[in-house]
Amino acid sequence: MERPYSLNELRKMFLEFFESKGHLAMKSFSLIPHNDNSLLLINSGMAPLKPYFTGAEIPPRRRVTTCQKCIRTGDLENVGKTARHGTFFEMLGNFSFGDYFKHEAIAWSWEFLTQVVGLDQDRLYPSIYQDDDEAFDIWNKEIGIAPERIFRFGKEDNFWEHGAGPCGPCSEIYYDRGEKYGCGKPGCTVGCDCDRYMEVWNNVFSQFNNDGHNHYTDLIQKNIDTGMGLERLAVVVQDVDSIFDVDTIQALRNKVCDLAGVKYLEKHETDVSIRIITDHIRSATFMISDGIMPSNEGRGYVLRRLIRRAARHGRLLGIEGKFLAKLSATVIETSKDGYPELEEKKEFIFNVLTQEEDKFNKTIDQGLSILNEMEEKLSAEGKKVLDGADAFKLYDTYGFPMDLTKEILEEKGYDIDEEGFAACMQEQRQKARDARKVSNYMGKDATVYDEIDPAVTSVFVGYDKTECESTITVLTTETELTDALTDGQTGTIFTEETPFYATSGGQMADTGVITGPEGTFEVKDVVKLLGGKIGHIGVVTSGMFKKGDVVKLAVNKEQRSDTAKNHSATHLLQKALRIVLGSHVEQAGSFNNQDKLRFDFTHFSALTQEELDKVEAIVNEEISKGIPVLTKVMSIEDAKKTGAMALFGEKYGDNVRVVSMGDFSKELCGGTHTDNTASIAAFKIISETGVAAGVRRIEALTGNGVFKYYKEVEKELHEAAKAAKCDPAQLVKRIEGLHEEIKTLTAENNQLKNKMAKDAMGDVMNQVKDVKGVSFLPVHVKDIDMQELMNLGDQLKAKLGDGVILLASENGGKVSLLAMATDGAMKKGAHAGNLIKAVAKLVGGGGGGRPNMAQAGGKNPAGIDQALEAGAEELEKQLH
């Protein structure tokens, strides 16, 4: 090499090389996994391609190459402490989905490293899986590598698998960086932990399927998944110490040093902070560009943690004021060749970083002061662990993430009671759940909306259209305002104009889709807020949305149409009720969605079937007339002059919408309606009930709902007839006959059960005991329920004459106990309720009752005999 290639050049060279080998060069996927709950963030080149490997999706081409943005936070605590660790990296990869395999993959990796990049062949060493003789032969016989330079490693190093599924051996390529990077120990070679031999390429040969129990079978479609860290390759090519010395990252590192007025590699503590800031601002810049926003959970929390960690270490270096956006500008400048979206979104990225830095700066000074006091207290008490409640106070009151508190304390030799912290967090969440009311799709009071600028408003344009384009004015997550929403996030989108109807006036909100330049949002609910703001609540199903994006809003037309039919039918229903029942009928509430309508009205008795039939007939007559549904906006005074009905107690503005259906119905209404009553098609009342004193409720169906209803009724009728083994026309007669049979069989069954109970008991009068002059009869019978025990008790009491009876039965593993006392026994102190309470615990149960009769249940049949014996002892205590 005449000069070392830059990181940006190496990325371009790799992609162009594999394009020349028939690969489709795909743009890096977002850091946000799409439809993959197993990952919080994309952490490898193959991760976003999993659907192609599993066969869930067909790849755009069977050969693909990418340079994928990746973030790994598993070693976050070690970032900065060493020059090896980082959170953000770029993974170069070439992939084959059932196309080429080992021969091509190995040959091309060697060709790229030696002929394109120009690395010295004598300094490159391949490794293979210990049993992969095929790969050995390719390296030895086809590439020409001497056997002693090919290293065989075991399953831990050179076999890729992740539980059940596709897996296979690996072949890695190591580069000898020279003695200056080595450990100097005798025998230092490939596989040593020192920095001399660096792995730069990994070919994964996905050729087996693991059934999850380490039984391997050959895959029908063999795949290639290869990866090479771009920064690692640059370290080798540029012959530098670590990733922090690679050209683009070094430029960023130098910017950190300039802002802090420090030098790199002079002091360990300073170097740690420099590396943390350098790494974290790279991660944060790329995460924000993909729409990830700082928050207190999920990937948003990872971002917030990285930003606040960088901000804190900036303070440790003595950097004055806000500085993260300045560093982000360097990230963008050095990376925009490969990721032009960074340049396009830079103002957005700077804004998010600055806002988060502001939030942190507002709390960190006070938090650090409190933490310092806690440290002094720990020192005075000779303790080494901070109480979990104290760590939670720092988090809850001063915005300190627990891991930041932990990091600061660890620097001074202290630890945190993490279990105690988690317990406090759980308690707070439970209190929040108990306190909040369910009010919408998000399942909580939408207090986040209170933070929106009161000047923001929305214009509803949905009366005459179901689609429009508009600009996003506000975005929120479930808990805070944000500048972006991304794949999988639930949130609310506000736009200048919207065709979506928000829940109001008894009409449920529209649903539908919002499509932006970079994503899709499924609208699940729409809310109307103070100041005319209309919020679209839902979830980002792909991509991202940013404040200021121009988006297309499209209402679900079928749902809107069905809801409108039900709403228009509600107007016809109100007038029909007034005709049939009288002018005292007033609307007391309504609900209309795509499935049904519900209408509450003032009336003081249940409607007869004749009245319901009349109401239904009137509504259907008006539907059949095909009356145009007309809407006119006028002043409230003019509306009243037309005779339009208004809701009692409702507040109206100066101008109102009057919805007319010929001369039949005229009402003030802000909802959406059909253009003609004929569109409603049909009307069917399905229930009439009372909901409050003087208020009745009718539920009804229209259009497709009616046809669906009759189809279900018809289906049930045929199923009932089939079960009754007759034709539908004979069903009533058949049911009447079955009722007579059931009545006869029930009487016979009761007689048999009574006889069985007597037979099971046998002659028990010889078991009567004398307890202080009172006859006591304890009886154990089997397979008798409580009703039969009571029948037996009455019979035995008649035979006994005077005394106390205690019956116990085991039936299906459960125990039934019954005690009865005659008048004579009660006069002497016997109390059936107290008796049963005393013995029930012996059968694992409880019960009680009156002095003359009591019952109990239990679940321990083994204790029955003991309970009967104890009954005599309890009775003896009672008698005087």
Side-chain angles (χ1 to χ4, degrees), residues 691-707:
V691 290
V695 179
R696 307 296 299 175
R697 170 175 291 171
I698 280 178
E699 291 193 352
L701 305 171
T702 65
N704 292 329
V706 175
F707 305 132

Side-chain angles (χ1 to χ4, degrees), residues 97-302:
F97 309 109
D99 188 4
Y100 64 85
F101 202 48
K102 291 183 185 179
H103 292 274
E104 296 89 342
I106 290 174
W108 290 338
S109 60
W110 187 255
E111 181 183 347
F112 178 76
L113 290 175
T114 60
Q115 296 181 35
V116 178
V117 178
L119 293 181
D120 184 352
Q121 296 186 19
D122 294 334
R123 298 173 73 173
L124 290 169
Y125 296 83
S127 73
I128 59 168
Y129 178 54
Q130 58 190 11
D131 298 333
D132 193 354
D133 293 332
E134 182 186 4
F136 181 90
D137 287 341
I138 294 170
W139 279 115
N140 177 228
K141 295 174 183 175
E142 296 180 21
I143 306 300
I145 307 295
E148 64 271 14
R149 294 185 58 214
I150 303 171
F151 290 79
R152 291 182 185 261
F153 292 139
K155 203 168 188 181
E156 187 176 332
D157 295 307
N158 272 34
F159 193 95
W160 187 92
E161 63 184 339
H162 190 71
C167 57
C170 307
S171 179
E172 298 178 322
I173 303 174
Y174 291 81
Y175 182 77
D176 180 1
R177 302 171 68 205
E179 291 182 10
K180 62 180 176 179
Y181 296 108
C183 58
K185 295 175 184 175
C188 175
T189 186
V190 173
C192 182
D193 286 337
C194 72
D195 291 333
R196 176 171 177 174
Y197 295 92
M198 180 176 279
E199 176 227 319
V200 291
W201 197 300
N202 186 17
N203 289 290
V204 178
F205 309 126
S206 186
Q207 64 188 93
F208 302 118
N209 185 67
N210 184 345
D211 66 356
H213 303 286
N214 293 328
H215 299 133
Y216 300 94
T217 53
D218 286 339
L219 283 175
I220 297 172
Q221 175 182 296
K222 293 178 170 58
N223 304 312
I224 288 291
D225 160 22
T226 77
M228 173 167 59
L230 177 58
E231 293 84 352
R232 277 196 174 199
L233 177 63
V235 166
V236 165
V237 170
Q238 295 175 18
D239 192 20
V240 293
D241 190 56
S242 75
I243 58 171
F244 293 96
D245 303 295
V246 166
D247 62 316
T248 54
I249 305 176
Q250 186 186 101
L252 179 59
R253 189 198 74 198
N254 291 342
K255 184 71 174 176
V256 175
C257 292
D258 289 344
L259 289 174
V262 297
K263 289 185 178 180
Y264 189 53
L265 297 181
E266 280 195 348
K267 187 179 177 184
H268 175 70
E269 289 77 12
T270 301
D271 290 346
V272 169
S273 293
I274 292 169
R275 287 192 288 259
I276 285 174
I277 297 167
T278 301
D279 171 79
H280 288 8
I281 194 61
R282 288 183 81 214
S283 291
T285 298
F286 277 91
M287 289 172 80
I288 296 167
S289 77
D290 279 339
I292 299 169
M293 300 298 291
S295 70
N296 285 332
E297 60 184 13
R299 61 183 71 93
Y301 180 66
V302 174

Side-chain angles (χ1 to χ4, degrees), residues 518-814:
E518 301 176 70
T520 306
F521 182 88
E522 183 184 350
V523 179
K524 299 191 176 185
D525 193 10
V526 187
V527 290
K528 187 183 287 185
L529 305 172
L530 292 174
K533 289 181 275 289
I534 297 173
H536 309 83
I537 300 168
V539 62
V540 181
T541 54
S542 67
M544 67 177 285
F545 288 83
K546 304 189 306 300
K547 187 176 173 182
D549 280 353
V550 176
V551 295
K552 180 182 177 183
L553 301 97
V555 170
N556 180 328
K557 293 179 184 177
E558 186 178 346
Q559 182 201 0
R560 163 73 74 87
S561 175
D562 288 344
T563 302
K565 289 173 187 175
N566 284 327
H567 197 164
S568 295
T570 305
H571 286 217
L572 297 175
L573 172 62
Q574 176 164 339
K575 183 61 183 286
L577 286 167
R578 289 171 69 89
I579 292 171
V580 174
L581 302 178
S583 58
H584 65 278
V585 169
E586 295 276 356
Q587 180 175 332
S590 69
F591 173 87
N592 305 287
N593 67 5
Q594 68 190 94
D595 299 318
K596 66 179 181 179
L597 67 90
R598 188 178 73 213
F599 186 73
D600 296 347
F601 57 98
T602 52
H603 189 58
F604 301 96
S605 61
L607 274 68
T608 65
Q609 189 58 51
E610 183 183 2
E611 288 170 332
L612 288 170
D613 290 343
K614 280 184 182 177
V615 169
E616 195 175 277
I618 290 170
V619 174
N620 279 310
E621 184 180 351
E622 298 306 312
I623 290 170
S624 66
K625 287 178 181 176
I627 305 168
V629 179
L630 303 176
T631 303
K632 195 172 181 182
V633 178
M634 59 182 78
S635 69
I636 186 71
E637 291 79 13
D638 289 342
K640 288 176 180 175
K641 288 175 187 174
T642 68
M645 285 193 66
L647 288 183
F648 181 74
E650 183 79 9
K651 291 182 180 179
Y652 294 98
D654 294 335
N655 290 318
V656 293
R657 289 173 58 82
V658 178
V659 178
S660 303
M661 300 176 191
D663 295 328
F664 185 78
S665 169
K666 193 172 287 186
E667 293 186 34
L668 304 187
C669 182
T672 62
H673 290 274
T674 59
D675 295 331
N676 192 293
T677 60
S679 302
I680 302 170
F683 174 83
K684 172 64 185 170
I685 295 173
I686 55 172
S687 71
E688 190 273 340
T689 55
V691 290
V695 179
R696 307 296 299 175
R697 170 175 291 171
I698 280 178
E699 291 193 352
L701 305 171
T702 65
N704 292 329
V706 175
F707 305 132
K708 186 179 177 183
Y709 169 79
Y710 280 122
K711 199 165 187 66
E712 287 295 320
V713 170
E714 185 180 18
K715 182 182 174 185
E716 287 178 15
L717 176 64
H718 282 284
E719 286 178 356
K722 185 179 178 182
K725 297 180 180 177
C726 68
D727 292 331
Q730 303 297 317
L731 189 58
V732 174
K733 192 173 180 181
R734 176 68 173 141
I735 290 172
E736 289 172 349
L738 289 172
H739 274 307
E740 287 302 316
E741 284 183 41
I742 290 168
K743 197 183 294 182
T744 303
L745 290 170
T746 301
E748 290 176 3
N749 187 46
N750 288 337
Q751 288 175 358
L752 285 169
K753 284 170 76 176
N754 205 12
K755 184 176 182 302
M756 285 171 64
K758 287 179 182 176
D759 291 345
M761 181 182 66
D763 186 8
V764 294
M765 296 310 293
N766 59 356
Q767 297 177 27
V768 176
K769 299 178 181 178
D770 182 274
V771 180
K772 284 190 176 181
V774 173
S775 296
F776 176 61
L777 177 58
V779 180
H780 182 181
V781 290
K782 289 189 176 181
D783 301 324
I784 301 298
D785 61 22
M786 183 57 78
Q787 185 59 48
E788 290 307 316
L789 275 186
M790 293 176 75
N791 291 338
L792 282 176
D794 289 337
Q795 294 168 26
L796 290 173
K797 194 165 65 166
K799 282 186 179 182
L800 191 64
D802 210 8
V804 175
I805 296 162
L806 179 60
L807 303 180
S809 173
E810 174 192 349
N811 191 357
K814 294 182 180 179

